[in-house]
Amino acid sequence: MSSLSPGFHGRGRPASLSERLPPGQYPTESFPVLSAGPTPRVPTETWTFTVTTETGEEHGWTWDEMTALPQEESVHDIHCVTRWSKFDTRWRGVSLDTLLADVDTAAEYAVAHSYGGYTTNLPLEDLLDGKAWLVHTYDDYPLSPEHGGPARLLVPHLYFWKSAKWVRGLRLTQDDEPGFWETAGYHNYGDPWREQRHWGD
Ligand SMILES: Nc1nc2c(c(=O)[nH]1)N[C@H]1C(S)=C(S)[C@@H](COP(=O)(O)O)O[C@H]1N2
Ligand SMILES: [Mo]
């Protein structure tokens, strides 16, 4: 997986911090909390993660099953549509490649859904090939409930609203189904480098 060191983008030299800042963003050292509703408290004893395919086939993991899968640590810059970016955030969890390895699907899209009801949509390919993780550890500590613990999606190449906190599953779909913020006017894809903040950007 990503064996590149933080900030090294494979162009033959480490990128400077300013080169790592997408247009219209400012860097922050803090870690703001952005939640559209109350923070759900989900005990790991009852936590499950379920992938449901377009034919209704379900693949599910309990907490113990998920944490027994191969774990990856990775470091990423994250970018919130409210304009803060945070460099070199360090996470631990399971690659979506691992979770989707045995899932037989012809779907082109996924909707992540969360405890508490939040949803967000993205093309399935944006979850594959080392681009997305189900993470449960931040900076060597269990992910706090405010930041999406016990586990959240991490899709660092898109604006951070695509990284569903308290995620409990993915529904794979043939047709694209806009989620919570996408229905409220945020861009359907959300590439920070193309500044895709709102529909029409
Ligand atoms: N379930 C859920 N996931 C969510 C959100 C939310 O309100 N509910 N907010 C999103 C937004 S807009 C951002 S910027 C990030 C914020 O994550 P943080 O609170 O850990 O900084 O979570 C995203 N995931
Ligand atoms: Mo956000």
Side-chain angles (χ1 to χ4, degrees):
M1 53 137 314
S2 57
S3 52
L4 298 175
S5 54
F8 189 84
H9 292 178
R11 291 192 297 263
R13 64 192 163 83
S16 71
L17 289 185
S18 62
E19 283 175 311
R20 287 161 61 187
L21 198 60
Q25 297 292 111
Y26 67 87
T28 184
E29 296 283 326
S30 73
F31 196 168
V33 170
L34 279 106
S35 303
T39 296
R41 307 280 155 164
V42 187
T44 54
E45 290 75 20
T46 56
W47 180 93
T48 57
F49 184 79
T50 307
V51 175
T52 309
T53 72
E54 71 280 13
T55 62
E57 197 177 293
E58 292 192 348
H59 301 253
W61 294 265
T62 64
W63 186 262
D64 288 346
E65 289 166 345
M66 183 274 288
T67 52
L69 293 171
Q71 306 291 311
E72 296 183 356
E73 179 171 295
S74 55
V75 177
H76 306 277
D77 302 341
I78 54 177
H79 312 290
C80 175
V81 73
T82 63
R83 299 187 181 273
W84 58 267
S85 290
K86 188 171 172 60
F87 295 128
D88 295 328
T89 63
R90 191 161 55 91
W91 309 81
R92 197 169 171 75
V94 179
S95 169
L96 265 291
D97 293 309
T98 302
L99 291 163
L100 294 170
D102 296 327
V103 175
D104 187 21
T105 181
E108 287 185 35
Y109 300 94
V111 180
H113 50 107
S114 297
Y115 291 98
Y118 185 86
T119 56
T120 187
N121 60 307
L122 56 190
L124 182 53
E125 65 177 24
D126 285 83
L127 294 175
L128 297 173
D129 296 326
K131 293 199 285 289
W133 293 264
L134 175 66
V135 293
H136 49 71
T137 300
Y138 178 77
D139 249 357
D140 293 328
Y141 289 96
L143 186 59
S144 70
E146 290 72 21
H147 286 298
R152 77 181 296 164
L153 203 59
L154 175 66
V155 192
H157 72 286
L158 299 178
Y159 279 125
F160 209 33
W161 87 77
K162 297 287 184 180
S163 294
K165 305 198 279 190
W166 319 293
V167 69
R168 66 181 175 90
L170 294 177
R171 206 158 44 77
L172 308 184
T173 60
Q174 298 283 24
D175 300 319
D176 201 6
E177 297 178 20
F180 179 82
W181 281 121
E182 294 84 3
T183 309
Y186 281 12
H187 195 276
N188 196 48
Y189 183 64
D191 179 351
W193 295 97
R194 288 185 282 166
E195 232 184 325
Q196 294 174 335
R197 299 178 191 274
H198 304 102
W199 282 95
D201 284 350

